[in-house]
Amino acid sequence: MFDNPYGTGQTTLTAVLALTNVLAAGREFCVVGYGWVGKGLARAAAGLGGRITVVEVDPVRALTAHMDGHRVAALADALPHAEIVLTATGSIEAVPAAALGLLQDGAVLANAGHHDREIDVPALAAAAEDLIEARPGVRTYVVGGRRLHVLVDGALVNIAGLDGNPIEIMDLSFSVQALAAHHLASGRAAPGLQRFPDELDDLIARTKLETLGVTLDSPTEAQRLFSESWAS
Ligand SMILES: NC(=O)c1ccc[n+]([C@@H]2O[C@H](COP(=O)([O-])OP(=O)(O)OC[C@H]3O[C@@H](n4cnc5c(N)ncnc54)[C@H](O)[C@@H]3O)[C@@H](O)[C@H]2O)c1
């Protein structure tokens, strides 16, 4: 809820711009996957003046992207217009070999999602007639006369290409991991897959807010009784 949209959203855009030195304003971005990460990527790119097209397979998330003000399209419709393609599906082949022929000359491809298998870089390498080491972290594959720029070989661009997420956001992720380990070690978790307890999420958010100097109101007794009267 924080690391993925806010941390990865910011640092992916920072990495892409640092590696390529292109201008985001007015540029056509294609964000593949509109989950926690994709939403953050789209927001960060739009905040810099980019125009966003979202590719999603989940109808609720695709509709959310539409309501958030982004264009939504199928991959085959989105890629021919894309100048920067950002993948964040958590799956494989978000930009598969079959789609690489749709990309325009000069397109930049970067991945913020799973490992290095979202963009089919091996297929691109196999089809390329030339390979140019354009800049550190930028390999340009020349395919049918088109130059396609791949950042850090399709690995996680914010981590392999820059410094990863700032500590102000990783402290939340590490808190979840540390408290989850503590919860398990305390023997309070039943065997099997468990949700992270809501009260621990609350504790982390409250602690973070305290470090930011923010104090919250509490519901009044009447409000508490009212909300409890609806409990099933
Ligand atoms: N780079 C980083 O620092 C960083 C940080 C956090 C998470 N991640 C990674 O980012 C990935 C996404 O994380 P998330 O929290 O957004 O996951 P998520 O499950 O919330 O979102 C993934 C979205 O991609 C969509 N999707 C799946 N296959 C697709 C396809 N072929 N085409 C279009 N859309 C498709 C899904 O419907 C879903 O909405 C994960 O692999 C996660 O590990 C990276």
Side-chain angles (χ1 to χ4, degrees):
M1 293 163 70
F2 302 102
D3 172 337
N4 297 20
Y6 301 105
T8 309
Q10 173 183 307
T11 56
T12 296
L13 261 292
T14 309
V16 168
L17 300 182
L19 290 167
T20 59
N21 197 28
V22 300
L23 184 70
R27 200 161 288 268
E28 292 285 348
F29 287 80
C30 172
V31 175
V32 188
Y34 201 70
W36 294 106
V37 171
K39 199 168 186 164
L41 300 179
R43 205 172 65 122
L48 290 164
R51 301 158 192 261
I52 318 299
T53 301
V54 168
V55 175
E56 235 314 330
V57 292
D58 178 295
V60 174
R61 287 185 162 181
L63 186 58
T64 305
H66 170 78
M67 298 279 181
D68 284 345
H70 308 307
R71 197 153 63 92
V72 180
L75 189 68
D77 296 326
L79 286 189
H81 311 285
E83 295 179 297
I84 299 184
V85 180
L86 304 173
T87 55
T89 68
S91 186
I92 59 167
E93 299 178 356
V95 179
L100 295 169
L102 300 169
L103 290 162
Q104 61 174 311
D105 179 37
V108 171
L109 297 157
N111 171 42
H114 179 63
H115 197 41
D116 60 357
R117 295 183 58 194
E118 296 219 10
I119 301 164
D120 197 340
V121 181
L124 193 54
E129 58 252 22
D130 201 3
L131 172 63
I132 302 162
E133 299 290 344
R135 289 166 59 97
V138 184
R139 280 207 167 123
T140 301
Y141 296 87
V142 184
V143 187
R146 291 168 304 135
R147 293 156 303 160
L148 305 176
H149 310 291
V150 177
L151 305 194
V152 290
D153 296 324
L156 301 188
V157 68
N158 59 331
I159 296 172
L162 213 64
D163 294 331
N165 291 347
I167 190 59
E168 290 100 319
I169 204 86
M170 292 313 297
D171 58 359
L172 294 170
S173 304
F174 295 149
S175 298
V176 171
Q177 291 164 20
L179 288 177
H182 185 262
H183 186 65
L184 276 179
S186 72
R188 277 178 286 147
L193 189 63
Q194 304 291 331
R195 275 182 61 84
F196 187 69
D198 286 345
E199 62 271 21
L200 295 183
D201 262 340
D202 287 358
L203 173 65
I204 293 168
R206 232 174 248 288
T207 308
K208 179 74 174 181
L209 287 166
E210 268 175 36
T211 70
L212 298 170
V214 178
T215 49
L216 300 183
D217 291 328
S218 296
T220 63
E221 183 62 6
Q223 289 166 337
R224 192 183 63 75
L225 289 173
F226 175 75
S227 62
E228 283 177 7
S229 71
W230 292 99
S232 57

